[in-house]
Amino acid sequence: MPIPPASESADDRTALEPIRVLRPRNTDALAQLLEEIRQDEHYRGHATETAPVPHTSADGGTEELPPVPGDETEEPTARDRNSRPRLGPGQRRAAIVIAVAAAAVVGFGCSLLIPGPTAATPAAPSANASTAPTSAAPTSAAPSAVGAADVLTNPGFESGGISPWNCAGHPGSVVSSPVHTGSKALMGTVSSSDTAQCDQTVAVRPNTAYSLSGWVRGSYVYLGVSGGTSTWTTSPSGYSLLTVSFTSGPSQTSATIYVHGWYAQGDYYADDITLSVSGGGGHT
């Protein structure tokens, strides 16, 4: 084979440089796969089959359900293998992408549903009779004589008698007129040597403040407590209220309440005499 003669002149042609061809990248792979599925002729020709509905016989008997397609317990025949639709390349890729996307969505949803750590809520205390606090029902004992609103007995002389009042000197009497309230009142007859005092001894509590009051009528009528304070008024034409306050001693358990007139000043009348603990009240 003849060898071509060498060229005496230098090769003045420009050397070719390699050219880099840039191909545009398809960023939407899922859209492309779905488009390939849509254009796949075999997929378009695939018919949708509906699962048979189980039929119940009229006489209430039971019927066997048709075999489940794709049962792993039975070996597929050659006819079944040939009759099954085959997925194209686009369909297989789309199925893989859809499965991966579904798994990601399911995983994200599960992460949202899993509750985070929460602070323990303290349980409400149980209603246990041995531990639950109990409050004793308030009890109120019946007031004794010294704590009653009106300590005196027969304060308005409505019994028709003097008792338990004690009238020294000229005995007192109960009259029907004049009265302050009710239908009876006390009348004391004084003299030049006697004030016609009537008194009653009652039980009191030590170191307790009392209020004594009474309605009187006459000239110079007195109301007070023996060994303590007293007050007086002159009211010949009508009843007038007298009030005295005193406090029992540390060991005092009784007190004598009295009412009387004055020497040679005529008869006096008294009604509704009451003794009560200060603030406890009493009728007037």
Side-chain angles (χ1 to χ4, degrees):
M1 180 175 181
I3 300 173
S7 176
E8 296 179 0
S9 61
D11 192 358
D12 55 355
R13 292 178 298 177
T14 303
L16 298 177
E17 295 182 359
I19 298 174
R20 178 177 298 176
V21 179
L22 300 178
R23 294 182 179 180
R25 295 184 179 181
N26 191 354
T27 59
D28 196 352
L30 180 59
Q32 182 179 357
L33 293 178
L34 295 177
E35 182 65 20
E36 291 180 1
I37 294 173
R38 188 177 62 81
Q39 295 178 0
D40 195 310
E41 295 181 357
H42 182 74
Y43 179 80
R44 290 198 304 269
H46 178 67
T48 304
E49 296 182 358
T50 304
V53 179
H55 174 70
T56 305
S57 59
D59 55 356
T62 57
E63 295 184 1
E64 295 183 358
L65 296 175
V68 180
D71 192 357
E72 297 180 357
T73 58
E74 297 182 0
E75 293 293 334
T77 61
R79 180 179 178 180
D80 295 336
R81 287 193 297 269
N82 294 332
S83 62
R84 292 178 180 176
R86 297 181 179 179
L87 299 177
Q91 292 176 328
R92 288 194 295 270
R93 288 195 297 271
I96 294 174
V97 173
I98 291 173
V100 173
V105 172
V106 171
F108 180 73
C110 292
S111 65
L112 294 178
L113 294 177
I114 296 176
T118 56
T121 303
S126 60
N128 189 352
S130 60
T131 59
T134 57
S135 58
T139 58
S140 58
S144 61
V146 294
D150 188 3
V151 180
L152 295 175
T153 303
N154 195 17
F157 305 94
E158 297 299 323
S159 66
I162 298 297
S163 180
W165 293 90
N166 178 34
C167 296
H170 294 78
S173 61
V174 176
V175 296
S176 299
S177 180
V179 298
H180 175 248
T181 62
S183 60
K184 299 291 188 293
L186 170 68
M187 184 184 71
T189 303
V190 300
S191 65
S192 58
S193 61
D194 187 27
T195 61
Q197 175 175 311
C198 292
D199 55 51
Q200 180 180 157
T201 301
V202 295
V204 295
R205 293 180 297 193
N207 292 324
T208 303
Y210 287 90
S211 177
L212 172 64
S213 64
W215 292 84
V216 297
R217 177 177 177 176
S219 297
Y220 303 97
V221 184
Y222 288 75
L223 178 68
V225 55
S226 297
T229 185
S230 64
T231 187
W232 65 273
T233 187
T234 178
S235 179
S237 60
Y239 278 91
S240 180
L241 178 65
L242 291 178
T243 301
V244 174
S245 297
F246 69 95
T247 301
S248 58
S251 59
Q252 185 177 354
T253 58
S254 65
T256 300
I257 307 303
Y258 66 81
V259 59
H260 64 76
W262 195 245
Y263 300 101
Q265 296 300 315
D267 298 336
Y268 73 89
Y269 301 89
D271 198 3
D272 299 325
I273 303 175
T274 61
L275 175 66
S276 61
V277 177
S278 294
H283 72 276
T284 58

